[in-house]
Amino acid sequence: MFALLLWWVLGCGSAALPCRVELPADRAIAPACARCNDAGVIECPSCAKSTCTWGGEGRVQALFCTKAAACRECAGTRRIDCPACERPMPAELVQRRADGEAWLARMREIDAKLEGELLHAESAHFTITWNLRRLDFDPKEGVSTGGDPSHGAMHVYLDRMEALYADFLRDLSATDRDFCAKTHLMVWQKEHDQEIASLAYTGQASSTESKLMGRAPVVSIFYDKGNLHEEFELHQACVHQVTHCLLSNVFDGIWPGNIRGGWIDCGLAHAYEIRYFGSVRHYCYVEADTLQNFKFGRWEQAVLSGVLAGDERPFLGVTGRNTTELTPEEHMYAWSYCDFLLRKHGAKFGAVAKGVKAKKQVGEILQQELGLTPGQFQESWKSWVKETYSPKKKRN
Ligand SMILES: [Zn+2]
Ligand SMILES: [Zn+2]
Ligand SMILES: [Zn+2]
Ligand SMILES: [Zn+2]
């Protein structure tokens, strides 16, 4: 016991009394290596002034960008080993360098398939492959591409997908851990590139748009000016398709579109279209892979008229179908049921989606999550539509 006490006094007690070691004044101030301040690394002289610096105010920090990673000296880390001293590079930087090189090698494999050096970047939740020479943003939007039209536009789109992801996370009550992988978005200037990429990365032959859903989603889009005339239409197409991908990926990697969850698969994609763009322009037939601009944009009015006339499509009629089986009218009602869930029962939307993806009966999901029978749900939706939807066209 005494020995223990002695140990405590000597051992612990000594920790409380710091011993002072006097350093010579000059050694305490001046670093041994003036070049790197003893950090072991200096700024990369090859790319410090020229590399991609995207990630400033209000923008998403890209983790990787080919424009940065292509620097042979630093692999996009913007720092190199100090040439003036023997200090080793910090382990964190060694790792980032290796990661940058491995990432670039993976992107170069895509380049090899498409026979060209493409732009690619990666953020926390997306990879983007970009082959548009320029994109004409509406000056009213005040979008800046930093004087670098192609590369800047890629980062603008990467930022926009991250903004969609943030909304999706909130709406689904999900966290980063609920996703199996990042979504890869590819955008092409040439139809031929779309044909190659869609087959290679989404497993479908397509000259317009295609996507691979589930555990590691990919969207490939040809920016066809014949279909997607203005820049915002490309943005809208990306929002629509990426929403399909995120929903297929979240929680379990299961696409609800072919297990009778077509209503939530399409309804949610349209919900973001209407939230961000005011109306629906995008309508994908998964099977036929035909892109159509259909004049069906004023959905609030149309659903309201349906309800007032008593000829709406009931929830149970819309919910039993796969995405490919939905008629244009059912797309519209699918959107409205999602809209209602998101706006009236927002905290439960994620749980409802989880139930659909687990192939539960919708009646059971409604009872379990909202405490409503299908009949009560139908009536509650109807009153909400009457109170909420405007008979006039409010937005476009
Ligand atoms: Zn960049
Ligand atoms: Zn460099
Ligand atoms: Zn040094
Ligand atoms: Zn769709």
Side-chain angles (χ1 to χ4, degrees):
M1 185 64 198
F2 175 75
L4 193 67
L5 194 67
L6 189 68
W7 170 84
W8 188 84
V9 169
L10 292 175
C12 293
S14 66
L17 297 168
C19 66
R20 286 173 83 96
V21 178
E22 296 291 337
L23 287 171
D26 56 341
R27 274 200 55 204
I29 296 161
C33 176
R35 184 82 191 269
C36 70
N37 249 340
D38 294 350
V41 291
I42 59 162
E43 241 188 21
C44 173
S46 302
C47 71
K49 291 194 175 61
S50 63
T51 193
C52 164
T53 52
W54 208 267
E57 213 175 314
R59 291 164 173 174
V60 182
Q61 180 72 57
L63 301 173
F64 302 107
C65 167
T66 38
K67 212 177 161 192
C71 176
R72 286 175 198 280
E73 302 294 320
C74 70
T77 60
R78 293 182 207 153
R79 287 176 293 162
I80 60 162
D81 207 1
C82 175
C85 69
E86 298 293 310
R87 282 175 182 73
M89 263 203 273
E92 167 264 336
L93 187 59
V94 173
Q95 185 61 50
R96 277 187 52 203
R97 223 191 140 101
D99 292 348
E101 279 163 356
W103 179 81
L104 186 63
R106 284 203 304 280
M107 297 304 116
R108 293 295 182 232
E109 285 171 20
I110 301 174
D111 295 2
K113 206 150 244 161
L114 274 295
E115 295 175 11
E117 201 160 288
L118 310 169
L119 284 168
H120 311 267
E122 190 164 312
S123 59
H125 312 104
F126 294 92
T127 305
I128 189 165
T129 292
W130 194 258
N131 198 17
L132 296 185
R133 274 189 295 279
R134 59 174 298 125
L135 203 50
D136 296 315
F137 293 94
D138 183 341
K140 284 202 289 275
E141 277 201 78
V143 172
S144 166
T145 52
D148 192 349
S150 177
H151 166 253
M154 169 180 75
H155 281 287
V156 168
Y157 267 66
L158 191 60
D159 293 358
R160 287 172 167 181
M161 292 306 108
E162 284 288 347
L164 168 64
Y165 179 88
D167 280 351
F168 183 91
L169 220 56
R170 211 169 24 248
D171 291 335
L172 274 287
S173 310
T175 69
D176 282 353
R177 284 193 303 278
D178 291 318
F179 292 82
C180 320
K182 298 184 185 190
T183 295
H184 194 152
L185 172 64
M186 301 176 146
V187 182
W188 310 105
Q189 177 117 26
K190 292 188 205 137
E191 193 173 4
H192 183 61
D193 285 349
Q194 163 67 18
E195 284 163 358
I196 298 171
S198 65
L199 210 52
Y201 300 105
T202 72
Q204 288 176 51
S206 159
S207 55
T208 54
E209 301 181 13
S210 58
K211 54 197 177 288
L212 172 71
M213 288 185 281
R215 302 197 79 81
V218 182
V219 185
S220 184
I221 298 181
F222 165 42
Y223 183 30
D224 178 4
K225 292 284 189 80
N227 271 321
L228 305 166
H229 318 271
E230 307 291 330
E231 179 279 322
F232 79 92
E233 290 174 72
L234 174 65
H235 181 194
Q236 191 161 346
C238 292
V239 163
H240 181 106
Q241 301 292 24
V242 167
T243 301
H244 279 304
C245 288
L246 293 175
L247 183 64
S248 75
N249 189 263
V250 73
F251 304 132
D252 45 27
I254 292 170
W255 178 44
N258 60 355
I259 50 167
R260 307 206 172 280
W263 70 278
I264 201 165
D265 177 42
C266 295
L268 187 62
H270 293 312
Y272 288 111
E273 277 191 82
I274 291 185
R275 192 187 297 178
Y276 299 162
F277 304 93
S279 62
V280 167
R281 246 169 226 95
H282 214 77
Y283 182 38
C284 44
Y285 288 94
V286 175
E287 230 167 28
D289 193 21
T290 311
L291 179 71
Q292 294 204 350
N293 287 323
F294 75 125
K295 310 228 176 321
F296 227 70
R298 300 176 200 176
W299 283 6
E300 277 202 14
Q301 282 170 288
V303 169
L304 179 62
S305 332
V307 167
L308 293 175
D311 66 356
E312 72 276 1
R313 298 281 169 281
F315 186 57
L316 290 187
V318 174
T319 50
R321 294 163 178 274
N322 289 340
T323 292
T324 49
E325 296 165 347
L326 292 172
T327 65
E329 199 153 42
E330 286 164 344
H331 269 262
M332 182 176 77
Y333 282 97
W335 158 75
S336 180
Y337 291 120
C338 285
D339 191 33
F340 172 63
L341 284 168
L342 286 165
R343 289 159 75 183
K344 185 82 179 177
H345 302 281
K348 293 291 181 184
F349 192 85
V352 170
K354 223 180 239 181
V356 174
K357 298 179 85 182
K359 294 191 186 177
K360 282 190 189 162
Q361 296 294 320
V362 278
E364 188 191 336
I365 299 171
L366 293 180
Q367 196 65 59
Q368 200 175 323
E369 302 304 332
L370 311 179
L372 298 174
T373 64
Q376 288 167 330
F377 178 82
Q378 195 66 44
E379 286 310 309
S380 162
W381 168 82
K382 258 196 229 176
S383 333
W384 180 84
V385 165
K386 287 183 204 162
E387 282 163 27
T388 316
Y389 287 174
S390 165
K392 291 204 185 96
K393 188 182 178 190
K394 272 197 303 196
R395 303 166 291 184
N396 193 14

